């Protein structure tokens, strides 16, 4: 939003919360192929994992790959302005069952919260928290991933 002087205004927090909290992403699907699992485990310096099971960090990657909304689309939803910065915030992974190589997972996601904070060094920033559920073909939830992205609002 532009002010009369051509300065970009902060998105209205009340409007952001009303529009975004509870917003579901389109369902997405993804699978980790065998060579990707090998490369990922090698990059993570992970020990050999039990057979076809993926390392416990994989729910983050599977969730982000299959979340049905790109980071660019999320930025647009949140009203990221050209001078705003985006950072990865907090992460919580709740793995119920190990993920399996080559299994197709449906990823369901929803924005859980939007809060505005002010920091001494960063200034004004919005924290957008979303949760992703990873479901194999059985439909049971194999893992949930809760992420927050921090949008630093440059003034």
């Amino acid at each position: 939003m532009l002010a009369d002087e051509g300065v970009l205004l902060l998105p209205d927090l009340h409007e952001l919360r009303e529009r975004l909290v509870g917003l579901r992403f389109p369902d997405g699907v993804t699978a980790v192929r065998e060579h990707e699992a090998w490369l990922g485990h090698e990059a993570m310096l992970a020990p050999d994992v039990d057979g076809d099971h993926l390392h416990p960090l994989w729910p983050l990657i599977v969730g982000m790959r299959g979340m049905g909304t790109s980071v660019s689309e999320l930025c647009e939803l949140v009203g990221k302005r050209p001078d705003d910065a985006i950072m990865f915030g907090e992460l919580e992974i709740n793995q119920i069952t190990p993920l399996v190589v080559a299994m197709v997972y449906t990823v369901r996601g929803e924005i859980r919260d939007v809060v505005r904070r002010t920091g001494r060094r960063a200034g004004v920033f919005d924290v957008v928290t979303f949760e992703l559920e990873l479901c194999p073909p059985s439909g049971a939830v194999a893992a949930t991933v809760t992420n927050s992205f921090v949008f630093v609002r440059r003034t």
Side-chain angles (χ1 to χ4, degrees), residues 16-81:
L16 278 177
R17 288 187 54 77
E18 285 289 314
R19 187 169 47 82
L20 296 180
V21 175
L23 178 72
R24 293 196 51 80
F25 301 137
D27 288 354
V29 294
T30 192
V32 178
R33 295 174 293 191
E34 190 172 326
H35 75 278
E36 293 173 312
W38 182 87
L39 288 169
H41 292 155
E42 187 74 16
M44 289 184 257
L45 302 176
D48 284 340
V49 183
D50 174 24
D52 288 337
H53 292 152
L54 294 165
H55 185 275
L57 187 58
W58 274 99
L60 168 64
I61 300 162
V62 169
M64 292 299 296
R65 271 185 19 180
M67 72 186 244
T69 297
S70 70
V71 173
S72 294
E73 290 166 332
L74 182 61
C75 288
E76 189 175 319
L77 285 171
V78 174
K80 180 185 175 299
R81 303 164 308 164

Side-chain angles (χ1 to χ4, degrees), residues 44 54-64 88 90-99 130-134 141-148:
M44 289 184 257
L54 294 165
H55 185 275
L57 187 58
W58 274 99
L60 168 64
I61 300 162
V62 169
M64 292 299 296
F88 198 80
E90 294 183 359
L91 167 68
E92 179 181 331
I93 299 173
N94 180 19
Q95 187 166 353
I96 299 155
T97 61
L99 301 188
F130 56 95
E131 182 177 275
L132 305 171
E133 294 180 330
L134 286 55
V141 176
T144 58
V145 179
T146 305
N147 288 326
S148 64

Side-chain angles (χ1 to χ4, degrees), residues 113-136:
D113 201 7
V114 179
V115 297
R116 180 161 291 157
R117 296 193 174 124
T118 303
R120 193 171 44 229
R121 290 189 303 175
V124 176
F125 57 95
D126 293 337
V127 180
V128 178
T129 303
F130 56 95
E131 182 177 275
L132 305 171
E133 294 180 330
L134 286 55
C135 303

